[in-house]
Amino acid sequence: MGFCKEDLKDQVQGVWVDGAIIVGAGPSGLAVSACLKKNGISSLILERNDCLASLWQNKTYDFLKLHLPQNFCELPFFGFPRNFPKYPTKHHFISYIESYAQHFGIQPKFKQVVERAEFDSLCGFWRVYTQDCEYVSRWLVVATGENAEPFIPEIVGIESFDGPVVHTSEYKSGVEFKKQRVLVVGCGNSGMEVSLDLCKHNAIPHLVVRNSVHVLPREMFGCSTFGIAMTLLKWFPLRLVDKFLILMCNSILGKTEKLGLRRPKTGPIELKNATGKTPILDGGALSHIKSGKIKVMVGVKEITRNGAKFMDVQEREFDAIVLATGYKSNVPFWLKGRELFTEDGLLKTSNGSVWKGEEGLYTVGFSKRGLLGTASDALNIARDIADQLKIYKDCKDSCTSVAII
């Protein structure tokens, strides 16, 4: 006689969730929920904060814009409004996210901190424990992303610094640093953007550039550099496209090595694919570096009471420090018994798929491809769960037929 896992659900303790449990109500979680709904499958989103896209709402600076044009940042089945700018602002994007949830009737369960999630091999279901409830489902979707918690590096002497030390998750505007000497630690898109904002508010930013970095113009020939690269990759090998990008960057921006911004030996797209390290898309900071308004510094050796010592033996005084050091995943703290993530919260991809684990476990927003990767992951997850449901239905029909016979 046939056997269906479906038959066990009434015997399981906890709140049964017919569809998937999704952890995280950011763009990733909403995208999966919408794609599941398109396939006639329900879901429950558990969110630790009290709002949608809490990272965007609570931990981003006021002047943030999407780094890519809106057509590369849309979530499945729902585009940006036509009146939005080509590069939507933070506030535009939050409005879009709220409209997305409303359009698909998505209502997350807020203030649910997932403390533990583990697979129950006896009954074949996932058990997800929050501070006040236990939820059970066949499928668990990790949608907390790679940017769940601020990453604070260990820097010698930083606890002795007399001035304010803030991570970019707390930074809102350069207005509070007017005429101050500010050390910006971290040369990614955030570090560049914060340095530019500090300049606009008459502060004096010093940008720490410890490693090599690719700086690309945001646009070439009036088109998105990213869009041009994606089009070229349809016709030409990756390394040839990388060579073209660097050639054009040297022509448009000049050789950044002269400004203390060494380029990696590996091309920008190849490096992004291999390590997830995103190239900087220049929004105006480079011209301020050229003019000397943003001062490029080498790695920090030590923070002192009133400043910093650098690897090139320089020592300078600062009024404040901004850590543009990025974020990290918090998944290893609550997802138990899984080999899908490293201790640092990075996704392992040895199984050949970045979105699918084993035993009904999925991840979305960990592909290092931004919102474009999120949309792709969400569609794949919904399709896979829909296929499994069809198998369950066939199994149940088979069991019924055998019982009748």
Side-chain angles (χ1 to χ4, degrees), residues 143-281:
T144 51
E146 299 165 316
N147 300 324
E149 304 288 346
F151 172 68
I152 310 295
E154 294 183 6
I155 304 176
V156 176
I158 196 165
E159 68 284 347
S160 66
F161 184 66
D162 277 347
V165 179
V166 299
H167 187 268
T168 47
S169 60
E170 303 170 295
Y171 181 97
K172 295 302 178 185
S173 168
V175 67
E176 56 192 288
F177 299 99
K178 188 175 182 180
K179 295 184 179 179
Q180 293 185 25
R181 296 160 297 182
V182 183
L183 181 65
V184 180
V185 180
C187 182
N189 280 299
S190 294
M192 283 285 202
E193 290 170 350
V194 165
S195 296
L196 179 60
D197 183 60
L198 287 167
C199 279
K200 291 178 179 178
H201 289 89
N202 295 317
I204 308 165
H206 292 64
L207 179 64
V208 174
V209 183
R210 187 179 63 175
N211 300 314
S212 57
V213 62
H214 280 296
V215 181
L216 310 180
R218 181 168 291 181
E219 295 194 342
M220 297 189 301
F221 316 115
C223 300
S224 157
T225 297
F226 179 81
I228 291 173
M230 292 301 99
T231 300
L232 291 175
L233 284 171
K234 295 177 181 178
W235 305 98
F236 301 103
L238 183 150
R239 292 193 177 183
L240 185 60
V241 175
D242 269 344
K243 286 181 179 179
F244 169 77
L245 289 177
I246 292 174
L247 180 67
M248 292 307 303
C249 288
N250 290 337
S251 173
I252 296 170
L253 303 176
K255 296 207 171 182
T256 58
E257 290 86 349
K258 296 178 181 179
L259 304 173
L261 303 169
R262 297 177 294 108
R263 287 196 184 278
K265 293 180 180 179
T266 307
I269 302 175
E270 185 178 0
L271 187 66
K272 169 71 173 171
N273 291 345
T275 68
K277 187 174 181 181
T278 303
I280 294 169
L281 295 173

Side-chain angles (χ1 to χ4, degrees), residues 364-399:
V364 58
F366 290 86
S367 63
K368 300 186 183 298
R369 294 172 53 219
L371 292 166
L372 196 63
T374 287
S376 175
D377 291 345
L379 289 165
N380 285 329
I381 291 168
R383 190 179 302 116
D384 194 71
I385 291 178
D387 289 344
Q388 289 184 53
L389 271 177
K390 185 177 184 302
I391 294 173
Y392 281 128
K393 184 178 183 300
D394 292 345
C395 169
K396 192 170 183 180
D397 291 345
S398 176
C399 291

Side-chain angles (χ1 to χ4, degrees), residues 239-380:
R239 292 193 177 183
L240 185 60
V241 175
D242 269 344
K243 286 181 179 179
F244 169 77
L245 289 177
I246 292 174
L247 180 67
M248 292 307 303
C249 288
N250 290 337
S251 173
I252 296 170
L253 303 176
K255 296 207 171 182
T256 58
E257 290 86 349
K258 296 178 181 179
L259 304 173
L261 303 169
R262 297 177 294 108
R263 287 196 184 278
K265 293 180 180 179
T266 307
I269 302 175
E270 185 178 0
L271 187 66
K272 169 71 173 171
N273 291 345
T275 68
K277 187 174 181 181
T278 303
I280 294 169
L281 295 173
D282 180 47
L286 203 62
S287 65
H288 286 70
I289 292 175
K290 290 177 180 178
S291 69
K293 291 182 179 179
I294 298 175
K295 304 182 187 305
V296 173
M297 311 299 294
V298 298
V300 175
K301 181 179 181 181
E302 179 185 356
I303 300 295
T304 63
R305 183 179 62 82
N306 60 355
K309 295 179 181 179
F310 297 91
M311 294 298 184
D312 60 359
V313 195
Q314 285 193 69
E315 184 172 353
R316 299 202 180 187
E317 294 184 355
F318 296 101
D319 301 299
I321 298 174
V322 176
L323 300 176
T325 47
Y327 293 82
K328 62 181 180 180
S329 165
N330 66 4
V331 178
F333 293 103
W334 56 266
L335 184 62
K336 305 302 180 182
R338 295 295 98 186
E339 298 296 329
L340 199 59
F341 290 86
T342 66
E343 291 182 358
D344 296 326
L346 300 177
L347 185 66
K348 296 179 181 179
T349 57
S350 57
N351 64 349
S353 170
V354 296
W355 55 270
K356 184 178 181 180
E358 297 178 347
E359 298 164 329
L361 177 65
Y362 300 92
T363 67
V364 58
F366 290 86
S367 63
K368 300 186 183 298
R369 294 172 53 219
L371 292 166
L372 196 63
T374 287
S376 175
D377 291 345
L379 289 165
N380 285 329

